[in-house]
Amino acid sequence: MKPTDEVLAERRARVAKRWELTDEVVVLRAGEPATWSGTDQHFAFLPHPDVAYLTAVGSPGTTLAFDAAAGEWELFGPRFTPERLVWEQPPTPVGQPLDELEAWLEQRNERTVIELGAGATMPEVLPSPAASDERDTPDSDAAAGAAETAPGDGADEHADASTGATVLRLSAALALERMTKDDAELDDIRQAAAASTAGFEWVYQHAAPGMTEREIQVGMEAQFYAAGAPRVAYDSIVASGSHGAYLHYVYAGDDPLRPATRTVEAGDLLLIDAGAQFGGYASDITRTMVVGADPTDEQEFLWKLVLSAQQQTIDMCRPGNVWRDVHLAAAHILGAGLVEMGLLRGDPAELVTEGVVALFFPHGLGHLLGLSVHDITSIPYSREPSDDPLLSQLGPGRVLGPGMVTTVEPGIYFIDALLCDPTRREKFAERVVWERVDELRGLGGIRIEDDVLVTDGDPEVLTAAIDKPIRIG
């Protein structure tokens, strides 16, 4: 559901409190459509997620401004000329006309202006925490970054506030606020999940040997739209057989002009990673099935192993748990299974530490979900470990808390780029039973993914309505 004005005011108040600014002016821009190279056409537009979060408006050019001295927010929206209205329908009018933004800023031209959102320029190098602030709280980090370029405090000696630590600190503080979803956000994610359910149910009923990956993708996505989704959350992955070994295998990834597609054969694994979007919020689901035949012993063992790892780590999505520890738990479970299957030798904990398990599980267990399928990734370093007291709360060292939505998506893959590399084969000669592994090359990959809400009690699987069949067709 669209957030009410009261909900938007609460979001803005919480963000302003985190920023702890005093006299600055902050400008958050939604951005403009990007053009196709060499044409007058544009890519489909989505607003910068920070602006979408604070305004619930998606029109290009939408700008939200904050006057810290007055503690007031002002929204500016585009208005079309009569000439443009001949060709295009008008955007929903919001706030003040965008043409008035320049005059609004001119009235505050003696103040530091900080550009965030699509207008932000992030630092190329992560600033040292000590260089920005000697204190250790997230809110004071943000305020300290702003203070570096405040008028009367050596502003002329510093670089433009829009290109330094200030932008990073304020953006990170906003991202930290976005990590906890309110009821309006959760409602949109649930509606996206419901539309996705319709698409996966179509797959279970119709996908069969002889169909192409593209046919399955089109049929599934049509059901997303029929169920009310305005768009997909990301390019759908529909990968059969060996294609499942490419983590992000997408249609036309080989050649956008003349894309190839594979015909599904009986006994193939079919990995589908897809999700609908609603209100700007993403869903993200993966299911892997054997099509048109009973699974082989190897397929069944690996599928059940991945499912077990997912079930156990979903149960760990509770307040106070560190995400890195949840990921490592999945890696240990998968490693133990690969030892049991005879593909690896040794203690699972050592196999994880040495990077052996990563040959078969080469990605993170999951990511935050929200206004981007990989939420808050507009912040540099947000998916990397950090000693910074603020950024560390966004990355893999984050502590799970109520209201966070994360994917949980363990997987096992047989990726030639990793398994056929001579250096790796030599390095792990004592750990990997290469003869056994080579027998399974071409199998593809198995991934099972759901969207999980951390609550004060048991985790809530927002995509639980989507079945997990091991065989279809």
Side-chain angles (χ1 to χ4, degrees):
M1 62 181 178
K2 185 174 182 178
T4 64
D5 291 342
E6 290 76 13
V7 168
L8 292 174
E10 291 171 0
R11 292 179 186 176
R12 295 174 188 176
R14 291 194 301 269
V15 169
K17 183 178 180 180
R18 283 190 183 276
W19 284 347
E20 291 189 339
L21 300 174
T22 56
D23 190 58
E24 298 81 2
V25 174
V26 180
V27 178
L28 298 101
R29 302 181 191 270
E32 299 289 346
T35 59
W36 296 357
S37 179
T39 77
D40 62 355
Q41 303 298 297
H42 295 85
F43 291 102
F45 177 80
L46 279 176
H48 191 285
D50 289 348
V51 177
Y53 174 72
L54 293 170
T55 69
V57 175
S59 301
T62 299
T63 301
L64 182 66
F66 176 61
D67 183 330
E72 296 178 350
W73 298 80
E74 193 70 52
L75 179 62
F76 298 87
R79 306 289 194 274
F80 282 4
T81 64
E83 291 77 15
R84 189 169 181 181
L85 288 171
V86 173
W87 295 93
E88 302 173 49
Q89 73 268 39
T92 301
V94 295
Q96 302 300 316
L98 185 59
D99 291 345
E100 296 181 11
L101 173 61
E102 185 174 351
W104 188 91
L105 290 172
E106 182 62 27
Q107 295 171 5
R108 297 158 178 80
N109 63 0
E110 298 298 322
R111 315 250 293 278
T112 298
V113 176
I114 305 167
E115 286 274 354
L116 299 184
T121 301
M122 294 288 180
E124 295 183 2
V125 178
L126 177 64
S128 166
S132 300
D133 190 7
E134 295 299 328
R135 294 164 290 178
D136 59 3
T137 63
D139 291 337
S140 58
D141 277 346
E148 288 182 348
T149 53
D153 190 29
D156 293 340
E157 300 175 8
H158 294 277
D160 183 348
S162 295
T163 61
T166 304
V167 172
L168 179 60
R169 299 290 168 195
L170 299 187
S171 297
L174 205 165
L176 195 62
E177 188 61 46
R178 283 177 46 209
M179 285 172 63
T180 301
K181 303 297 186 281
D182 58 36
D183 288 342
E185 294 179 283
L186 292 174
D187 184 74
D188 281 343
I189 295 174
R190 289 190 173 98
Q191 291 198 56
S196 298
T197 301
F200 276 89
E201 287 178 347
W202 182 93
V203 172
Y204 300 158
Q205 295 169 12
H206 295 90
M211 295 180 69
T212 66
E213 296 164 332
R214 182 61 168 172
E215 288 175 306
I216 295 170
Q217 177 186 345
V218 170
M220 172 186 67
E221 292 180 356
Q223 297 306 308
F224 291 174
Y225 301 134
R231 65 178 74 205
V232 294
Y234 52 96
D235 289 340
S236 299
I237 298 169
V238 180
S240 64
S242 61
H243 287 175
Y246 298 100
L247 300 182
H248 286 171
Y249 175 87
V250 295
Y251 180 73
D254 55 339
D255 184 349
L257 299 181
R258 294 176 175 81
T261 184
R262 185 177 183 276
T263 299
V264 179
E265 299 178 4
D268 276 348
L269 286 170
L270 177 64
L271 187 156
I272 297 181
D273 184 336
Q277 184 189 82
F278 192 89
Y281 286 82
S283 60
D284 185 358
I285 305 99
T286 306
R287 297 290 185 263
T288 307
M289 303 76 61
V290 179
V291 182
D294 290 332
T296 64
D297 290 344
E298 291 84 0
Q299 288 172 332
E300 183 173 9
F301 181 92
L302 292 169
W303 189 92
K304 290 182 176 179
L305 174 60
V306 172
L307 179 63
S308 176
Q310 195 213 27
Q311 291 171 335
Q312 293 182 63
T313 49
I314 284 176
D315 190 60
M316 294 177 67
C317 292
R318 299 173 182 272
N321 284 342
V322 177
W323 181 248
R324 181 188 297 106
D325 296 338
V326 183
H327 167 85
L328 289 174
H332 283 92
I333 294 166
L334 296 175
L338 293 173
V339 170
E340 180 182 348
M341 191 176 179
L343 300 182
L344 299 181
R345 305 185 188 95
D347 176 72
E350 294 177 357
L351 295 171
V352 171
T353 301
E354 294 171 8
V356 183
V357 173
L359 293 172
F360 303 89
F361 177 41
H363 59 75
L365 178 62
H367 50 81
L368 295 171
L369 188 74
L371 282 163
S372 172
V373 66
H374 297 154
D375 210 21
I376 71 167
T377 49
S378 60
I379 308 300
Y381 322 103
S382 65
R383 299 180 74 178
E384 302 174 10
S386 174
D387 294 328
D388 182 276
L390 179 56
L391 297 182
S392 63
Q393 299 179 69
L394 306 178
R398 64 182 173 272
V399 178
L400 297 178
M404 292 184 183
V405 178
T406 183
T407 66
V408 179
E409 48 182 304
I412 292 177
Y413 316 84
F414 293 84
I415 302 173
D416 280 351
L418 299 178
L419 303 180
C420 296
D421 176 40
T423 302
R424 290 184 173 90
R425 292 180 77 95
E426 180 179 357
K427 178 179 179 180
F428 299 122
E430 299 302 316
R431 293 298 204 180
V432 179
V433 184
W434 289 112
E435 298 82 0
R436 186 80 176 92
V437 169
D438 288 340
E439 294 174 359
L440 296 175
R441 284 177 45 212
L443 180 144
I446 297 172
R447 181 165 66 250
I448 302 174
E449 174 184 19
D450 283 286
D451 304 337
V452 180
L453 171 64
V454 182
T455 74
D456 288 318
D458 292 339
E460 179 185 348
V461 181
L462 301 175
T463 47
I466 303 177
D467 291 337
K468 297 173 182 172
I470 191 173
R471 174 188 170 168
I472 60 174

